[in-house]
Amino acid sequence: MPTADTPVTIAVGDGNVSGAYARPAKPFATLVLAHGAGAGMEHPFMRGFTAALNDDGVATLRFNFPYREAGRKFPDRPPAAIATWRAAIAEAAARSAGEGEPVWAAGKSFGGRMASMAVAEGMPAAGLVYLGYPLHPPGKPEKLRDEHLYGLETPMLFLQGTRDTFATRELLEGVVSKIGPTATLQWCEGGDHSFAVAGNKRSAEDIGASLAAPVAAFMRANGPVRG
């Protein structure tokens, strides 16, 4: 039986953002998930990914950034996005308090980059998962967004489509190699920035769900885990 979402209100500064928390029986970890720049937490990709993680024993909390909550299109600047990440992680930690499972941070594109910046500024997280890391703007490989990654010591999983225009393959492989053994790169053959594969018609929900297994496996392998 699918794990039901529980609506959550997360206080950030003088305002609030929406969240959705799901906790299966005896989860071995919690994963907090942030959306990309162009879609909010209710996007089918996000829902499919978290539902599949719930089925695999992971509690999840997905949330909106303030700009999305307010109906704006342009993403928040890093200070606001990082403050939101801190509040979301604190909410997840409070909900798992006493159970002992680790809390991970993950995000689609922009959401993952903001998670990494938050951890670089001291936000606690057992590990980081990037669903399509935006290493550079499309067609502009000289504008790398990588400097803060090299100081991170937490386990990191980069899931990336081989056709993703936001991360030239050679450049991303070089970045992951430079980070060192804490970082793992897993390519999704034929996937674009949304992990869609040409000629393979799948819904966004199914695409998101397909990424849950490698993420859960990475979390288990890079504990600590409970259960």
Side-chain angles (χ1 to χ4, degrees):
M1 186 175 180
T3 305
D5 282 340
T6 299
V8 174
T9 299
I10 302 171
V12 183
D14 295 330
N16 298 308
V17 296
S18 299
Y21 181 73
R23 187 176 185 84
K26 297 182 179 179
F28 73 84
T30 292
L31 181 139
V32 184
L33 178 65
H35 58 79
M41 71 172 193
E42 293 298 342
H43 190 275
F45 177 96
M46 303 281 287
R47 295 182 68 93
F49 178 67
T50 54
L53 279 178
N54 297 155
D55 291 343
D56 209 351
V58 180
T60 58
L61 172 64
R62 59 184 195 277
F63 66 93
N64 277 334
F65 286 112
Y67 80 95
R68 189 72 189 185
E69 193 75 14
R72 299 190 302 269
K73 292 184 178 180
F74 193 77
D76 298 308
R77 301 295 297 171
I82 290 170
T84 308
W85 252 115
R86 286 184 176 276
I89 283 283
E91 177 72 24
R95 288 176 175 267
S96 64
E99 298 300 328
E101 80 262 16
V103 178
W104 288 64
K108 178 71 183 77
S109 192
F110 168 81
R113 186 166 74 95
M114 292 299 105
S116 66
M117 293 177 69
V119 171
E121 293 189 9
M123 184 183 79
L128 285 157
V129 175
Y130 309 115
L131 306 178
Y133 187 83
L135 183 60
H136 56 74
K140 298 180 180 179
E142 72 281 1
K143 295 186 176 182
L144 294 182
R145 302 156 171 162
D146 64 333
E147 289 186 2
H148 67 285
L149 296 174
Y150 304 118
L152 301 179
E153 298 179 354
T154 186
M156 287 180 277
L157 173 63
F158 292 78
L159 281 181
Q160 205 84 19
T162 57
R163 295 191 300 116
D164 191 340
T165 57
F166 284 79
T168 304
R169 184 164 188 161
E170 182 178 356
L171 288 176
L172 184 57
E173 288 177 344
V175 167
V176 171
S177 177
K178 186 176 178 182
I179 292 171
T182 58
T184 297
L185 172 58
Q186 184 169 330
W187 290 105
C188 298
E189 189 61 39
D192 61 14
H193 194 54
S194 297
F195 295 93
V197 177
N200 185 359
K201 292 185 178 180
R202 296 183 296 167
S203 68
E205 184 174 0
D206 286 343
I207 292 172
S210 73
L211 303 179
V215 170
F218 184 81
M219 294 169 70
R220 283 191 171 94
N222 290 272
V225 298
R226 187 181 72 86

